[in-house]
């Protein structure tokens, strides 16, 4: 018997048997001499049979015992009726899967009523008055939606509907002292007191409720203060082409504000003429530049960009001489325009590949001017060499991101830039012809105003080379004044200042600071 087991074992090894221990189960790979009975998955009793059809070979005692065990288990499973129980459980499980689940009946809450603001109603429940839309008259160089006013001069009629606007304007003009160019420049070159004394003076500035007024109906884009010392007159430009004049010290209430609409696009730049303070220059995003004459009570059109050219909107202006302006465009070019006649362009300067944000003449050396661009660069140019085919700038100040402004200090010693990388930078441009301007100060300042606020533009004190002002996003709301070395000299704060003043300017001759917000209100610290 032992000899026959040995023969069987050797034959099974040749047939690649996989074994697990001495007494474990064995598994055969099917051959032509073997047959396996399939397992019936629906019957709990499993049928196994193993037959070796070899000549002269019989089953061993172990294999016979295993076969008897299988038969015994089969009989026990049949007596216990395990197969029937399995079939019943499978049927119940199938029925549960088929029965749809019941949805929970959620209680629907009543809808919340809309607020009065969304219903366009006042706190008392009355409907809000409808806002007047901008006048649509002619095509714009910027967008087909923004349309221009008719070409030519426009009468200076108040949009507010004041019956006595002409008499009031004439009275304002008569009371304003005309400041000549020489007087203003002499004021700008004064060094003034030191920074310690200046801090004390700034600490005395206060904001009173009667010095807050809504000058224009929409977001403020530009402001300029009249240089007269005996009259506090402010010109403000807003998003939809309105220009407001505010007699700050007047006691007439709402009559102290006169509102006009010489443009239909954002008034990006507003300034009083340096040689005749009865004239106001306004540059609009609609591609036009006008001169408001307070003597004639007219808005004369002195320039209109070509509507056929792409990105030919006007962004900024700077007075270079008594009768000429430098006008920046959205296509990266700057035009030198004669103000005595319409569209008298004396020269075109290609300064950047894309939009020129600001342009300014050097205060003392007027052959130089500075430009800022969205192309992450500030350039200083020499007008005497711009007629060449490929003119080169005197120097280029590269920034990490696009800029919103770049301005010379009153004597041209420094230049301050406002960049979208949350930095204000001060450069020493005294020796810009020989050496590259170095950074005197790099100030961390949040310049991300978003789409609902006007962008910040740091502006120098008109009489000092060491102080500039800029709006702030910090809480509580404030206006920052920095020194040329980056030191924060003062923060203008008041309980009546509850909004961001994006546009901040100094008075040309007095220690007064104006701050304009995005709802058309102006705050006067004096």
């Amino acid at each position: 018997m032992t000899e026959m087991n040995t023969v069987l074992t050797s034959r099974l090894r040749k047939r690649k048997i996989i074994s697990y221990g001495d007494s474990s189960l064995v598994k055969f790979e099917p051959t032509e001499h073997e047959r396996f009975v399939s397992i019936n998955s629906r019957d709990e009793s499993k049928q196994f049979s193993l037959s070796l059809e070899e000549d002269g070979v019989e089953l061993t005692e172990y294999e016979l015992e295993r076969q008897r065990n299988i038969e015994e288990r089969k009989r026990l499973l049949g007596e216990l009726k395990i197969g029937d129980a399995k079939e019943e459980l499978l049927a119940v499980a199938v029925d549960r899967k088929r029965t749809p689940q019941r949805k929970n009946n959620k209680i629907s809450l009543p809808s919340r009523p809309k607020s009065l603001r969304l219903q366009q109603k006042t706190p008392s429940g009355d409907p809000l008055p409808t806002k007047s839309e901008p006048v649509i008259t002619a095509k714009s160089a910027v967008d087909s939606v923004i349309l221009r006013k008719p070409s030519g001069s426009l009468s200076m009629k108040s949009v507010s509907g004041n019956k006595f606007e002409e008499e009031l304007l004439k009275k304002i003009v008569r009371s304003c002292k005309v400041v000549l160019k020489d007087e203003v420049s002499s004021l700008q070159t004064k060094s003034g007191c030191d920074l310690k004394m200046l801090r004390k003076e700034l600490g005395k500035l206060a904001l009173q409720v009667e010095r807050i007024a809504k000058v224009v109906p929409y977001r403020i884009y530009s402001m300029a203060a009249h240089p007269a010392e005996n009259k506090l007159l402010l010109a403000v430009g807003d998003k939809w082409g309105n220009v407001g004049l505010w007699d700050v010290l007047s006691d007439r209430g709402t009559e102290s504000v006169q509102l006009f609409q010489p443009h239909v696009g954002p008034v990006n730049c507003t300034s009083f003429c340096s040689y005749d303070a009865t004239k106001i220059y306004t540059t609009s995003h609609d591609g036009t530049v006008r001169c408001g004459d307070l003597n004639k009570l007219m808005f004369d059109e002195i320039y209109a960009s070509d509507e056929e050219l792409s990105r030919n909107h006007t962004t900024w202006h700077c007075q270079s001489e008594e009768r000429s302006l430098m006008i920046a465009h959205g296509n990266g070019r700057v035009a030198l325009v004669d103000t005595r006649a319409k569209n008298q362009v004396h020269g075109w300067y290609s300064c950047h590949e894309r939009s020129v944000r600001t342009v300014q003449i050097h205060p003392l050396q007027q052959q130089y001017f500075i430009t800022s661009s969205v192309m992450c660069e500030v350039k200083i140019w020499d007008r005497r060499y711009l007629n060449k085919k490929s003119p080169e700038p005197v120097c280029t100040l590269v920034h990490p991101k696009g800029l919103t402004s770049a301005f010379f200090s009153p004597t041209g010693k420094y230049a301050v830039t406002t960049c979208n990388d949350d930095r204000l930078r001060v450069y020493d441009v005294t020796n810009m012809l020989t050496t590259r301007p170095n950074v005197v100060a790099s100030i961390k300042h949040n310049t991300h105003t978003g789409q609902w606020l006007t962008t910040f533009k740091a502006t120098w004190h008109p009489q000092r080379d060491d102080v500039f002002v800029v709006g702030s996003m910090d809480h509580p709301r404030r206006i920052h004044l920095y020194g040329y070395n980056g030191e924060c000299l003062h923060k203008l704060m008041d309980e009546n200042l509850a909004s961001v003043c994006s546009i901040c300017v100094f008075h040309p001759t007095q220690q007064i600071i104006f701050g304009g917000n995005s709802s058309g209100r102006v705050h006067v610290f004096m």
Side-chain angles (χ1 to χ4, degrees), residues 121-264:
K121 294 182 179 180
T122 61
S124 59
D126 300 328
L128 291 174
T130 58
K131 295 183 179 179
S132 59
E133 297 295 332
V135 180
I136 298 175
T137 50
K139 286 187 177 180
S140 167
V142 187
D143 194 344
S144 58
V145 178
I146 302 177
L147 305 175
R148 290 181 179 176
K149 290 279 189 176
S151 180
S153 299
L154 301 175
S155 61
M156 195 176 284
K157 293 183 179 180
S158 178
V159 180
S160 58
N162 198 331
K163 298 180 180 179
F164 305 101
E165 69 272 3
E166 186 172 346
E167 288 77 5
L168 291 173
L169 283 174
K170 289 182 178 179
K171 188 174 181 180
I172 291 174
V173 173
R174 286 194 300 266
S175 62
C176 287
K177 176 184 177 182
V178 178
V179 180
L180 300 178
K181 171 70 175 178
D182 297 336
E183 297 178 8
V184 175
S185 61
S186 63
L187 288 170
Q188 290 177 345
T189 55
K190 291 181 180 179
S191 59
C193 58
D194 57 8
L195 290 179
K196 290 184 179 179
M197 293 295 296
L198 178 64
R199 282 183 173 179
K200 292 182 179 180
E201 293 182 4
L202 294 175
K204 298 177 182 178
L205 298 180
L207 177 63
Q208 300 178 1
V209 179
E210 56 269 19
R211 297 294 175 256
I212 302 175
K214 190 173 180 65
V215 183
V216 287
Y218 302 102
R219 186 200 309 183
I220 295 177
Y221 268 68
S222 58
M223 287 194 304
H226 193 278
E229 295 184 1
N230 62 334
K231 194 71 175 178
L232 196 56
L233 183 64
L234 186 69
V236 182
D238 76 353
K239 181 178 180 179
W240 291 108
N242 298 291
V243 175
L245 289 179
W246 181 24
D247 187 1
V248 180
L249 302 180
S250 174
D251 55 355
R252 300 188 189 96
T254 56
E255 292 183 356
S256 61
V257 176
Q258 300 295 317
L259 185 64
F260 315 98
Q261 194 180 32
H263 305 279
V264 291

Side-chain angles (χ1 to χ4, degrees), residues 163-421:
K163 298 180 180 179
F164 305 101
E165 69 272 3
E166 186 172 346
E167 288 77 5
L168 291 173
L169 283 174
K170 289 182 178 179
K171 188 174 181 180
I172 291 174
V173 173
R174 286 194 300 266
S175 62
C176 287
K177 176 184 177 182
V178 178
V179 180
L180 300 178
K181 171 70 175 178
D182 297 336
E183 297 178 8
V184 175
S185 61
S186 63
L187 288 170
Q188 290 177 345
T189 55
K190 291 181 180 179
S191 59
C193 58
D194 57 8
L195 290 179
K196 290 184 179 179
M197 293 295 296
L198 178 64
R199 282 183 173 179
K200 292 182 179 180
E201 293 182 4
L202 294 175
K204 298 177 182 178
L205 298 180
L207 177 63
Q208 300 178 1
V209 179
E210 56 269 19
R211 297 294 175 256
I212 302 175
K214 190 173 180 65
V215 183
V216 287
Y218 302 102
R219 186 200 309 183
I220 295 177
Y221 268 68
S222 58
M223 287 194 304
H226 193 278
E229 295 184 1
N230 62 334
K231 194 71 175 178
L232 196 56
L233 183 64
L234 186 69
V236 182
D238 76 353
K239 181 178 180 179
W240 291 108
N242 298 291
V243 175
L245 289 179
W246 181 24
D247 187 1
V248 180
L249 302 180
S250 174
D251 55 355
R252 300 188 189 96
T254 56
E255 292 183 356
S256 61
V257 176
Q258 300 295 317
L259 185 64
F260 315 98
Q261 194 180 32
H263 305 279
V264 291
V267 183
N268 296 322
C269 184
T270 303
S271 66
F272 284 93
C273 179
S274 302
Y275 299 86
D276 185 359
T278 60
K279 294 181 179 180
I280 308 172
Y281 292 116
T282 56
T283 296
S284 174
H285 205 74
D286 61 11
T288 60
V289 180
R290 292 185 179 271
C291 176
D293 194 329
L294 297 179
N295 289 320
K296 298 188 301 181
L297 298 180
M298 297 290 291
F299 280 104
D300 298 323
E301 183 179 296
I302 60 178
Y303 176 76
S305 60
D306 189 356
E307 301 177 31
E308 302 298 329
L309 298 179
S310 176
R311 299 195 306 269
N312 204 28
H313 54 278
T314 50
T315 58
W316 202 263
H317 73 256
C318 176
Q319 189 169 7
S320 58
E321 297 175 358
E322 183 177 358
R323 296 176 178 177
S324 63
L325 290 178
M326 297 193 75
I327 301 174
H329 291 70
N331 54 12
R333 304 176 72 189
V334 175
L336 183 61
V337 178
D338 189 348
T339 61
R340 291 172 292 183
K342 179 185 176 182
N343 285 355
Q344 292 293 326
V345 181
H346 292 306
W348 283 98
Y349 308 137
S350 296
C351 299
H352 300 275
E353 294 182 4
R354 287 179 58 190
S355 180
V356 180
R357 292 301 189 189
T358 57
V359 59
Q360 185 195 20
I361 298 288
H362 194 283
L364 302 181
Q365 303 174 13
Q366 295 196 356
Q367 67 272 24
Y368 302 113
F369 66 93
I370 187 172
T371 58
S372 63
S373 173
V374 296
M375 298 301 294
C376 311
E377 57 188 6
V378 173
K379 294 183 178 181
I380 300 178
W381 303 88
D382 190 340
R383 285 195 292 172
R384 297 171 295 181
Y385 302 103
L386 288 177
N387 294 326
K388 296 181 179 180
K389 293 183 179 180
S390 57
E392 294 292 333
V394 174
C395 64
T396 301
L397 308 176
V398 180
H399 290 66
K401 290 188 178 182
L403 292 107
T404 59
S405 67
F407 298 115
F408 284 119
S409 62
T411 61
K413 183 178 180 180
Y414 300 109
V416 61
T417 64
T418 307
C419 184
N420 288 327
D421 66 340

Side-chain angles (χ1 to χ4, degrees), residues 55-116:
D55 295 339
V57 178
E58 296 180 358
L59 294 176
T60 62
E61 294 181 359
Y62 167 75
E63 292 173 339
L64 293 173
E65 182 66 23
R66 179 173 176 272
Q67 190 69 24
R68 287 193 294 271
N69 292 337
I70 292 174
E71 295 296 334
E72 181 66 20
R73 290 172 184 171
K74 175 184 175 183
R75 185 182 61 79
L76 292 174
L77 292 174
E79 293 178 357
L80 296 174
K81 297 181 180 181
I82 299 298
D84 297 340
K86 177 181 177 181
E87 293 294 336
E88 293 177 0
L89 291 175
L90 289 175
V92 173
V94 171
D95 293 339
R96 286 184 179 179
K97 290 182 179 179
R98 292 178 180 176
T99 54
Q101 296 180 356
R102 296 181 180 178
K103 295 183 179 180
N104 296 329
N105 296 327
K106 295 183 179 180
I107 301 174
S108 58
L109 298 175
S111 59
R112 184 179 178 181
K114 292 183 178 180
S115 63
L116 293 176

Side-chain angles (χ1 to χ4, degrees), residues 9-70:
T9 303
S10 62
R11 290 184 180 180
L12 293 176
R13 286 177 179 174
K14 290 180 181 179
R15 296 171 188 171
K16 300 180 181 178
I17 295 175
I18 302 174
S19 61
Y20 301 90
D22 297 334
S23 61
S24 60
L25 297 177
V26 293
K27 181 178 179 182
F28 298 91
E29 292 188 0
T31 64
E32 60 182 358
H33 301 291
E34 299 172 351
R35 179 176 72 252
F36 290 91
V37 179
S38 61
I39 301 173
N40 187 3
S41 59
R42 296 184 180 180
D43 193 354
E44 188 65 25
S45 61
K46 300 180 181 179
Q47 298 178 357
F48 295 95
S49 64
L50 176 62
S51 64
L52 300 174
E53 298 180 357
E54 295 290 343
D55 295 339
V57 178
E58 296 180 358
L59 294 176
T60 62
E61 294 181 359
Y62 167 75
E63 292 173 339
L64 293 173
E65 182 66 23
R66 179 173 176 272
Q67 190 69 24
R68 287 193 294 271
N69 292 337
I70 292 174

